[in-house]
């Protein structure tokens, strides 16, 4: 059976006593096993990182950027292989896997400009003969802990800025689909990155705890579910680390009465069901404003949902593939039952879906509920599957309150032709990323990604300038070059610019 090993110091290594199963979501069953590491494995990676990092930090930023350019070229050249590898473990369709990698590569493109964005500030003549300037320096050794749902994009969100700014970076990918991050680390070496600067350690809670407790790791970036994000944030910060920890989501799409409903239905189908709903920026809740809008929307949504094609991840015609594991399938189907029990009106039921020839695959048909209300657990919690819930609102204020009061605040969208309503909504909604007639408002790489409330712990977003800030410390220098004449200052009084 294929085995996925840690990637330490430029090569596969470190023996393991525990292994995790990598499932085949299209067909069911185990397709590979991954080594599950511990503190001893991490120690090897940290020692390699500590040995390699000072020279990498001293490498001038243009040379570091050239590694990013070459890495981008190599990932593009290997795109087909990477996408197939990603789909085979995750289950998303090939075109979507390419998008997963491409969105990560766009962060690498941003990092090709690292010499420019790392420039500090300078004030000439801040006092008599005094200049003040600042510089950004790497943290040293950083770590990333990533979820299963974007095994290309999210590792690249982190390793691009971490490495380009001069850190050594250790990634602990999801143990459900760890192959792509290992391949990316290999490509970094091929691109000219020194050994020890990008390493991969595999594992579960044991490895995560080892990372959070290791004194030489100065910064930890986490993306995953909210309870784990909160735990990682608390433990990392208690150990004196810089931590950013992105969590779960329940994104709402507000549909105003004047919206172009054909466009909305088209957008919703992709945003709610694409990648089987396993996206933190999926739109699993739609909020039509007014019953008339709700009825018109529902009439168009039902046939659109019934026309969706669920298939294996290599089916070029499929809109989406299986969910990641059998347990996840059972969990999503459990939520569908909960919503039924709570009084949601089940309009389209995706349970029991069987794909001919792939009966053991983890497929769930698209599911639609109407009359979901805010007191239902299935509304309050993230389902993370191909399930769309209609929550009706009587007016704009009621619609605005729904995502604003929800425990999660990752993304939200409003669909309208009314610029004033859209502007008002964007200004007032209590959510971190807003789409105006854009269903999945994932910011481009040179802006930054991050939610509010229980969707993110810590105060720095992913990628863009926020990413550069997270992976660097600011050092500020106040300099004076005396000309030899005594300045007569009193050294016992705090210097002021008065
Ligand atoms: P998860 O929380 O189960 O796992 C994330 C990481 O944490 C993995 O590397 C895993 O090994 C580790 N982990 C799991 N249990 C742990 C524990 N008890 N202690 C320490 N570490 C542990 O998340 P997932 O199922 O892989 O991913 C889906 C979740 O990620 C969803 O909630 C989704 O919304 C969220 N997500 C959020 C964003 C965002 O940017 N906000 C992006 C993508 C996914």
């Amino acid at each position: 059976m294929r085995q996925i090993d840690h990637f330490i110091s430029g090569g596969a290594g470190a023996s393991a006593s525990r292994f995790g199963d990598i499932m085949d979501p299209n067909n069911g069953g185990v397709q590979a096993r991954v080594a599950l590491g511990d503190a001893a494995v991490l120690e090897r990676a940290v020692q390699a990182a500590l040995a390699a990092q000072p020279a990498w930090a001293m490498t001038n930023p243009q040379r570091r950027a050239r590694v990013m350019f070459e890495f981008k070229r190599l990932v593009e050249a290997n795109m087909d292989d990477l996408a197939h590898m990603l789909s085979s473990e995750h289950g998303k369709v090939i075109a979507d896997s390419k998008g997963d990698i491409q969105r990560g590569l766009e962060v690498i493109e941003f990092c090709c400009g690292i010499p420019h964005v790392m420039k500090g500030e300078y004030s000439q003549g801040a006092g008599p003969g005094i200049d003040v300037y600042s510089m950004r320096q790497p943290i040293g050794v950083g770590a990333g802990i990533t979820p299963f749902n974007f095994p290309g994009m999210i590792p690249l969100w982190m390793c691009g800025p971490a490495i380009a700014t001069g850190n050594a970076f250790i990634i602990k990918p999801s143990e459900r689909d760890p192959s792509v991050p290992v391949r990316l680390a290999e490509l970094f070496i091929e691109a000219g990155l020194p050994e020890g600067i990008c390493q991969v350690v595999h594992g579960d809670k044991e490895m995560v705890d080892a990372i959070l407790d290791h004194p030489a790791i100065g910064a930890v970036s986490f993306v995953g579910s909210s309870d784990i994000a909160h735990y990682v944030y608390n433990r990392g910060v208690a150990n004196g680390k810089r931590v950013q920890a992105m969590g779960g989501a329940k994104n709402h799409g507000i549909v105003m009465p004047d919206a172009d409903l054909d466009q909305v239905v088209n957008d919703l189908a992709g945003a709610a069901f694409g990648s089987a709903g396993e996206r933190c920026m999926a739109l699993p809740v739609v909020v039509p404003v007014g019953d008339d809008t709700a009825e018109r929307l529902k009439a168009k949504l039902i046939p659109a949902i019934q026309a969706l094609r669920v298939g294996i991840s290599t089916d070029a015609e499929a809109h989406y593939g299986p969910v990641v594991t059998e347990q996840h399938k059972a969990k999503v189907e459990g939520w569908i039952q909960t919503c039924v029990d709570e009084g949601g009106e089940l309009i389209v039921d995706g349970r029991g879906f069987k794909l001919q020839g792939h009966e053991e695959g983890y497929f769930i048909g698209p599911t639609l509920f109407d009359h979901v209300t805010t007191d239902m657990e299935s509304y309050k919690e993230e389902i993370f599957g191909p399930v769309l819930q209609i929550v009706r609102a009587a007016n704009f204020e009621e619609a605005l309150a729904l995502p604003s009061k929800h425990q999660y605040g990752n993304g939200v969208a409003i669909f309208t032709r009314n610029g004033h309503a859209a502007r008002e909504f964007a200004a007032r909604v209590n959510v971190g990323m807003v789409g105006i007639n854009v269903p999945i408002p994932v910011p481009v790489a040179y802006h930054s990604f991050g939610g509010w409330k229980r969707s993110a712990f810590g105060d720095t977003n992913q990628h863009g300038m926020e990413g550069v800030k997270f992976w660097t410390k600011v050092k500020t220098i106040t300099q004076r070059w005396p000309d030899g004449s005594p300045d007569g200052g009193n050294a016992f009084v705090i210097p002021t610019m008065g």
Side-chain angles (χ1 to χ4, degrees):
M1 181 173 292
R2 188 166 62 94
Q3 184 168 311
I4 300 150
D5 287 319
H6 311 287
F7 185 81
I8 295 176
S9 218
S15 58
S17 52
R18 290 197 303 133
F19 294 90
D21 290 337
I22 308 294
M23 310 310 291
D24 172 359
N26 289 304
N27 298 302
V30 179
Q31 60 158 310
R33 64 177 197 167
V34 59
L36 299 177
D38 53 17
V41 170
L42 180 69
E43 190 58 38
R44 287 188 49 194
V46 170
Q47 290 310 322
L50 287 169
Q53 192 269 334
W56 177 241
M58 291 293 286
T59 303
N60 79 53
Q62 266 179 295
R63 288 189 178 202
R64 294 204 304 264
R66 280 180 202 139
V67 173
M68 294 288 148
F69 276 108
E70 179 59 5
F71 175 70
K72 172 178 143 58
R73 192 191 68 74
L74 286 170
V75 173
E76 282 165 349
N78 285 274
M79 182 62 94
D80 279 341
D81 287 351
L82 284 164
H84 277 86
M85 185 184 270
L86 196 161
S87 287
S88 73
E89 293 182 358
H90 177 286
K92 64 175 77 173
V93 294
I94 298 288
D96 203 24
S97 289
K98 288 186 178 172
D100 183 330
I101 296 160
Q102 177 60 30
R103 283 309 290 248
L105 260 195
E106 290 169 11
V107 174
I108 301 298
E109 285 173 351
F110 173 81
C111 294
C112 290
I114 208 71
H116 178 70
V117 298
M118 278 188 81
K119 285 190 299 196
E121 297 169 323
Y122 185 86
S123 297
Q124 193 263 336
I130 292 177
D131 308 319
V132 179
Y133 62 94
S134 66
M135 57 177 76
R136 292 200 166 274
Q137 295 192 322
I139 304 283
V141 180
I145 301 161
T146 55
F148 81 85
N149 69 326
F150 280 100
M153 179 181 80
I154 293 177
L156 289 170
W157 275 1
M158 299 173 180
C159 70
I163 292 171
T165 52
N167 295 284
F169 182 71
I170 299 170
I171 180 154
K172 203 299 288 171
S174 168
E175 62 275 42
R176 286 179 252 173
D177 47 14
S179 288
V180 166
V182 174
R183 187 71 191 115
L184 293 174
E186 288 170 356
L187 292 177
F188 259 126
I189 298 286
E190 216 177 309
L193 191 72
E195 290 178 1
I197 298 299
C198 183
Q199 304 181 92
V200 185
V201 294
H202 300 292
D204 48 19
K205 179 173 167 45
E206 185 174 352
M207 181 58 89
V208 171
D209 287 348
I211 290 170
L212 296 171
D213 293 345
H214 201 295
I217 295 176
V220 176
S221 180
F222 173 91
V223 178
S225 52
S226 287
D227 286 347
I228 312 288
H230 199 188
Y231 165 79
V232 164
Y233 180 78
N234 285 336
R235 188 156 173 166
V237 167
N239 284 329
K241 297 182 199 315
R242 187 178 282 197
V243 183
Q244 55 177 189
M246 277 58 195
K250 189 87 173 187
N251 305 327
H252 294 52
I254 312 301
V255 182
M256 296 296 285
D258 66 351
D260 175 345
L261 288 191
D262 290 323
Q263 184 64 51
V264 170
V265 166
N266 195 40
D267 285 350
L268 273 178
F273 302 107
S275 195
E278 294 168 317
R279 290 184 182 138
C280 67
M281 288 296 272
L283 262 193
V285 177
V286 59
V287 183
V289 174
D291 278 334
D292 174 60
T293 313
E295 292 304 329
R296 286 187 294 124
L297 179 69
K298 193 164 76 174
K300 286 178 185 283
L301 258 179
I302 294 170
I305 288 173
Q306 285 168 337
L308 290 176
R309 179 180 167 111
V310 183
I312 56 170
S313 46
T314 49
D315 175 354
E317 305 292 311
H319 293 105
Y320 71 87
V323 298
V324 67
T325 57
E326 195 165 16
Q327 293 86 328
H328 192 61
K329 176 178 155 135
K331 186 173 152 195
V332 172
E333 292 189 338
W335 276 120
I336 295 173
Q337 187 57 45
T338 302
C339 193
V340 170
D341 296 343
E342 292 175 318
E345 185 190 338
L346 185 55
I347 309 284
V348 182
D349 187 354
R351 290 173 297 179
F353 181 95
K354 290 271 178 230
L355 191 66
Q356 208 181 354
H358 299 271
E359 285 78 7
E360 303 305 317
Y362 313 136
F363 298 94
I364 306 174
T367 298
L368 178 68
F369 279 99
D370 194 4
H371 296 290
V372 171
T373 51
T374 54
D375 55 328
M376 296 180 184
E377 286 306 309
S378 63
Y379 168 76
K380 294 179 195 165
E381 300 297 334
E382 180 180 47
I383 296 177
F384 222 55
V387 181
L388 178 60
Q389 295 174 304
I390 299 177
V391 181
R392 297 178 177 221
N395 52 45
F396 175 81
E397 290 298 330
E398 234 180 83
L400 173 69
L402 287 167
S404 295
K405 289 185 177 162
H406 201 280
Q407 62 164 332
Y408 295 116
N410 216 34
V412 70
I414 182 166
F415 300 92
T416 181
R417 290 185 169 97
N418 180 334
H420 175 74
R423 188 170 178 277
E424 187 76 3
F425 183 82
R428 289 172 58 197
V429 72
N430 188 20
V431 170
M433 292 173 280
V434 182
I436 296 174
N437 297 314
V438 171
I440 304 184
V442 176
V444 290
Y446 44 97
H447 283 258
S448 71
F449 183 107
W452 289 3
K453 298 180 280 183
R454 277 180 56 76
S455 292
F457 303 90
D459 53 12
T460 319
N461 281 357
Q462 299 279 351
H463 64 73
M465 273 314 291
E466 292 273 298
V468 173
K469 283 182 187 165
F470 182 75
W471 294 107
T472 55
K473 299 175 285 197
V474 175
K475 183 180 279 180
T476 309
I477 293 99
T478 303
Q479 75 173 4
R480 183 172 65 140
W481 296 101
D483 62 4
S485 51
D487 64 7
N490 185 342
F492 296 96
V493 175
I494 186 162
T496 69
M497 292 297 132

